[in-house]
Amino acid sequence: MILTGPAIAAAQAAGEITIEPYDPARLSPNAYDWRLGDTLRICDTDLDAAAPTPYAETTIPGSGLVLRPGVLYLGHTHERTGSETYAQFLNGDRTIGALGIWVHVSAPLGHQGHAIHWTLEIRAARPVRVHPWMTFGKLVFIRCLGTPASYQLHGLKYTATAGIGISRLYEELAGGAT
């Protein structure tokens, strides 16, 4: 069950949901409009699942930065979000999609107990200029059934993620870098 905008506001006020910074004007009927952060990691070389991803990091200037097709960009949400009570589902939105930007298609689920600045996978179909803190997508909160199982208690590889995280699949692959 997805929370409505008013239910998100109530849960945030009750401390059941973390959204930092929080702006009630960013609530929609059943989501919160999240923004792109101000940093990108640019991955424009061949990638190998058995090795850490090489990247160059840049701050998006106020005048914007043009994303190019064929390049993987890793970004982050401006907002830090999470909940011990609810799971989260993060997507781009229609306005970003209409610009030919695919964002966070591969990992939209945020587990209970993981309050983070989301790492975003970003691809552009055409050259497109993005700006720091622009609205980039929608975040919904989902009521969970069963006994809560906080992500932080499972000891998984992304538990302590801070900032933009690269793929750490190499940690699972035999012969991968450690």
Side-chain angles (χ1 to χ4, degrees):
M1 183 179 320
I2 295 174
L3 288 145
T4 64
I8 293 170
Q12 191 277 336
E16 296 172 349
I17 288 176
T18 298
I19 302 174
E20 298 169 345
Y22 176 73
D23 178 357
R26 303 194 70 73
L27 286 168
S28 60
N30 55 2
Y32 188 86
D33 294 339
W34 59 269
R35 295 171 286 172
L36 178 63
D38 65 352
T39 305
L40 290 176
R41 289 186 173 173
I42 302 168
C43 310
D44 62 356
T45 62
D46 291 343
L47 304 178
D48 181 348
T53 302
Y55 62 86
E57 190 167 288
T58 189
T59 299
I60 304 170
S63 59
L65 179 77
V66 175
L67 304 182
R68 297 169 299 159
V71 176
L72 170 64
Y73 298 90
L74 297 176
H76 63 92
T77 57
H78 176 64
E79 291 83 4
R80 179 178 168 270
T81 67
S83 176
E84 288 288 341
T85 306
Y86 303 99
Q88 305 167 79
F89 197 84
L90 183 129
N91 275 324
D93 65 10
R94 187 209 168 292
T95 56
I96 293 301
L99 289 172
I101 299 172
W102 290 279
V103 61
H104 216 67
V105 174
S106 66
L109 179 64
H111 298 285
Q112 283 177 281
H114 201 154
I116 58 170
H117 290 271
W118 291 67
T119 294
L120 307 168
E121 303 94 26
I122 305 167
R123 302 289 298 231
R126 308 261 315 141
V128 59
R129 184 175 300 276
V130 297
H131 301 268
W133 310 294
M134 65 186 276
T135 299
F136 224 65
K138 300 214 176 276
L139 178 70
V140 299
F141 291 88
I142 305 165
R143 185 174 310 278
C144 301
L145 298 176
T147 304
S150 177
Y151 187 86
Q152 295 304 106
L153 301 179
H154 287 275
L156 301 170
K157 67 179 166 261
Y158 296 107
T159 299
T161 299
I164 301 170
I166 62 169
S167 171
R168 290 174 43 199
L169 184 61
Y170 60 86
E171 295 176 2
E172 299 175 21
L173 297 174
T178 55

